[in-house]
Amino acid sequence: MSVHVLTTGYWPTYPPMDVRLPHELNVYQDIFKEFYLSKYSGRRLMWQNSLGHCVLKADFSKGKKELAVSLFQTVVLMLFNDAQKLSFQDIKDSTGIEDKELRRTLQSLACGKVRVLQKLPKGRDVEDDDSFIFNEGFTAPLYRIKVNAIQMKETVEENTSTTERVFQDRQYQVDAAIVRIMKTRKVLSHTLLITELFEQLKFPIKPADLKKRIESLIDREYLERDKNNPQIYNYLA
């Protein structure tokens, strides 16, 4: 087990995704949690299940393989250690994976290029009354196989939500850049400030969004508009 501990605020936010881990994986999480919190008291660990990945050893009739899979794919596949056939509802109840994410996961395992599960009846989409069996006859030339996730198309609402969330994460970087520039220059016109921000920021951003951050800093008294010329900003120490 290898764990990457990331500091919130330095990395993009991810919506929390619940999953019921099998006992074998829960043990590892508990051991790491105990070790980490014994070194750093007062911290809180939040497991990002959607970013986890594993390597599973699988026994097929034609030989053993290693499957490089996501954590969600792992949790689904491990159910077949104890069952030959499971319905969609059985898998949903056992794993606790959110409906849309579970359909995507099962699609990748039973409908993609690497079909380690078989879907009954056959088809490209996962329906409520589908069942799944372990594909014992699976063959592949390579010993280690990566099972790619199926990419879901974002709806317009999801795309808007993602864009807004990314901007929320980046606004602290924008604020810091504005304060840094103004602290150095003390007095600067709106046009020059925007120009310097475009040079310093490493990600695309709209002028309107930059203007909002400037207004926010004026409200919080980091900057002020010049009394004689509203297009000039003064830095407030």
Side-chain angles (χ1 to χ4, degrees):
M1 183 187 186
S2 172
V3 179
H4 295 279
V5 182
L6 311 178
T7 306
T8 309
Y10 286 87
W11 295 86
T13 53
Y14 295 91
M17 287 191 158
D18 293 330
V19 60
R20 277 191 211 100
L21 294 181
H23 172 71
E24 296 91 331
L25 297 182
N26 258 326
V27 169
Y28 284 118
Q29 271 199 2
D30 292 342
I31 290 169
F32 180 81
K33 186 176 179 181
E34 188 178 334
F35 154 75
Y36 185 79
L37 296 181
S38 69
K39 285 179 68 99
Y40 305 102
S41 61
R43 292 191 185 179
R44 189 163 62 101
L45 280 176
M46 287 178 61
W47 295 94
Q48 296 290 351
N49 296 315
S50 61
L51 304 182
H53 53 91
C54 306
V55 175
L56 284 183
K57 286 185 167 65
D59 288 324
F60 298 101
S61 57
K62 298 286 177 72
K64 295 186 177 185
K65 298 286 182 190
E66 283 188 353
L67 305 174
V69 285
S70 71
L71 182 61
F72 292 144
Q73 289 170 328
T74 300
V75 172
V76 169
L77 287 172
M78 286 180 74
L79 295 177
F80 290 89
N81 282 333
D82 304 312
Q84 182 58 32
K85 182 178 180 181
L86 291 166
S87 69
F88 173 76
Q89 196 59 48
D90 290 335
I91 297 170
K92 190 175 181 180
D93 293 342
S94 298
T95 62
I97 299 172
E98 184 266 328
D99 187 279
K100 193 173 171 184
E101 187 63 37
L102 181 58
R103 289 177 197 275
R104 192 167 77 103
T105 301
L106 286 166
Q107 232 179 348
S108 68
L109 295 169
C111 311
K113 288 183 179 178
V114 181
R115 301 188 179 189
V116 290
L117 296 181
Q118 288 180 329
K119 188 173 88 72
L120 305 171
K122 291 182 177 180
R124 289 181 64 87
D125 296 319
V126 174
E127 307 295 345
D128 290 350
D129 52 358
D130 284 348
S131 293
F132 298 84
I133 58 172
F134 183 63
N135 182 11
E136 288 187 17
F138 172 79
T139 59
L142 297 173
Y143 176 66
R144 178 177 282 202
I145 303 134
K146 179 165 174 53
V147 184
N148 291 318
I150 303 289
Q151 296 298 319
M152 297 290 276
K153 286 185 179 176
E154 277 194 324
T155 63
V156 174
E157 291 81 6
E158 285 172 332
N159 189 281
T160 304
S161 170
T162 303
T163 305
E164 284 175 3
R165 203 168 67 244
V166 168
F167 180 67
Q168 287 292 324
D169 291 335
R170 287 174 170 173
Q171 69 182 23
Y172 304 110
Q173 295 177 54
V174 176
D175 288 1
I178 295 169
V179 171
R180 198 163 53 241
I181 292 165
M182 290 304 301
K183 194 172 184 178
T184 306
R185 296 298 198 91
K186 305 299 184 204
V187 178
L188 206 57
S189 71
H190 176 80
T191 307
L192 286 174
L193 177 56
I194 296 293
T195 304
E196 287 213 25
L197 285 169
F198 278 131
E199 286 174 4
Q200 286 199 20
L201 297 171
K202 304 299 181 190
F203 47 82
I205 189 166
K206 298 173 188 168
D209 289 331
L210 290 178
K211 193 175 179 186
K212 283 180 191 172
R213 299 319 307 157
I214 293 168
E215 295 292 342
S216 170
L217 288 169
I218 290 171
D219 291 341
R220 288 180 282 156
E221 298 184 349
Y222 284 90
L223 316 175
E224 68 173 4
R225 280 197 174 83
D226 190 87
K227 291 178 175 61
N228 299 318
N229 185 349
Q231 288 297 306
I232 302 284
Y233 302 117
N234 298 321
Y235 175 71
L236 298 175

